[in-house]
Amino acid sequence: MSEYNLQVLLKRRPVGEPVEGDFEIVEGPVPLPGHGQVLVRNRFLSLDPYMRGRMSDAKSYAKPVELGAVMEGATVGEVIASNDPAFAPGDAVMGGQGWQRFCTMDGAKLRKVDVNEVPLSANLGVLGMPGLTAWVGLEDIGEPKPGETVVISAASGAVGQVAGQIARARGARVIGIAGGAAKCAFVKDELGFDDCLDHRGDLEAQLDAACPNGIDVYWENVGGHVQAAVFPRFRDFGRMVMCGMIAQYNIAPGADAAGAPPGPNLGPVVRKRLRIQGFIVSDHGWQRYPQFRAVMLGLIRGGQLTWREDVVTGLAAAPRAFIGLLKGENFGKLVIKVE
Ligand SMILES: NC(=O)c1ccc[n+]([C@@H]2O[C@H](COP(=O)([O-])OP(=O)(O)OC[C@H]3O[C@@H](n4cnc5c(N)ncnc54)[C@H](OP(=O)(O)O)[C@@H]3O)[C@@H](O)[C@H]2O)c1
């Protein structure tokens, strides 16, 4: 094969905001599949906020990427060669092949996808880990009911756009929060949320106007000043789905006290009988993937679920795009088109 591999490695652990020099881009030979293995050519790579955690060796729910190793990440691609009878060249597959062009994997770690159902890259977003996160968090924690008010932060992003549309399909009134007029217009006009508030403006006043009776479910993606504005507006028996707090991911360990934005006063948790629960989608989410996929495809066919991707071309552009994701520069689910 005259092709060569391209890989993005973790060169050093960032302190604070990552920089491009924390990554190293290397060329190498295309690997050969071993016994029971499949050679995959990655077509799209998912970039997700959790990758910031993998760059750090601070204690977490998952192991960090080793220095000098390929950055971790979900991918979709095409089988080039297979030593596993379950896969044939040309099959479209999803898996966790990382920030690289080619990869060999055990067949058991790959999942075939049907490109007639949705475009290949959508298996990284609406039908991938972010979509699964949205569905699991609402099924298990948020449980929105018809007529309830649901507020979704980072509403134009990978998780937020799906969470809001699921909540709406269940009959809730859904208010998004996003950064800037263009994202807010998209959330309202194209995703069909009831309203979308710009967190760069006076968020407290906008929340009062949009949620005059308070908030039943808050989907937390962000933390910081957004959380501080939403939290006092919970109704009794409100639920807070603690999905992530991206505003804090670049704060160095040990600097939390000095660097973290002030959190809300938790006193009302008791008085209002609030439920605040965190979750990690990989705990039990993937066992429920077939059910999730069937529900999502039903919503897509019924015109109740749409999505936006932010596609950046070329693996070499991944470090820059990832740094931008942590500052809100993406608009929609961020994916790299691997060339
Ligand atoms: N618990 C789990 O299992 C799980 C799984 C997947 C994702 N997550 C979490 O879900 C959240 C959303 O992830 P995603 O993949 O859907 O990302 P995303 O929303 O597609 O992209 C991140 C968005 O967050 C906002 N943002 C970025 N930096 C920020 C900052 N410093 N302060 C305030 N807002 C900022 C930006 O939106 P605006 O421009 O609109 O502010 C940005 O577009 C993250 O916290 C992620 O860690 C958790």
Side-chain angles (χ1 to χ4, degrees), residues 22-168:
D22 297 331
F23 302 87
E24 184 176 12
I25 297 171
V26 296
E27 291 179 5
V30 176
L32 291 172
H35 181 69
Q37 284 197 320
V38 176
L39 172 64
V40 180
R41 182 189 187 112
N42 292 328
R43 293 292 179 193
F44 292 93
L45 161 70
S46 178
L47 293 185
D48 300 278
Y50 77 82
M51 293 165 174
R52 178 64 185 84
R54 301 289 195 281
M55 296 176 80
S56 158
D57 57 7
K59 196 170 182 315
S60 184
Y61 64 92
K63 280 195 279 186
V65 175
E66 296 294 332
L67 289 178
V70 176
M71 282 290 296
E72 207 177 300
T75 48
V76 283
E78 176 194 342
V79 173
I80 302 294
S82 175
N83 292 331
D84 180 333
F87 295 91
D91 282 348
V93 289
M94 66 192 281
Q97 289 100 278
W99 297 27
Q100 53 188 336
R101 189 183 280 161
F102 290 96
C103 180
T104 53
M105 292 284 275
D106 288 344
K109 292 186 178 156
L110 294 170
R111 190 186 292 267
K112 270 194 220 180
V113 292
D114 182 349
V115 287
N116 296 312
E117 290 177 334
V118 290
L120 185 60
S121 57
N123 292 288
L124 297 177
V126 67
L127 290 184
M129 182 278 288
L132 183 64
T133 301
W135 181 74
V136 166
L138 288 179
E139 284 277 310
D140 297 355
I141 305 169
E143 302 181 273
K145 301 185 181 50
E148 286 191 329
T149 297
V150 176
V151 171
I152 311 268
S153 59
S156 73
V159 174
Q161 55 181 309
V162 182
Q165 291 179 91
I166 295 174
R168 211 158 181 286

Side-chain angles (χ1 to χ4, degrees), residues 222-247:
V222 164
H225 75 288
V226 175
Q227 184 184 85
V230 170
F231 195 80
R233 290 167 171 79
F234 266 119
R235 287 158 63 89
D236 288 356
F237 302 104
R239 285 88 70 199
M240 181 156 163
V241 186
M242 292 295 289
C243 179
M245 296 214 285
I246 194 169

Side-chain angles (χ1 to χ4, degrees), residues 17-20 23 47 183 246 250 310 312 317-331 334:
E17 195 177 302
V19 294
E20 289 192 59
F23 302 87
L47 293 185
K183 287 184 178 179
I246 194 169
N250 283 335
D310 188 338
V312 174
R320 175 77 223 104
F322 176 67
I323 293 163
L325 173 75
L326 297 171
K327 295 191 275 197
E329 288 172 9
N330 63 308
F331 188 172
L334 182 58

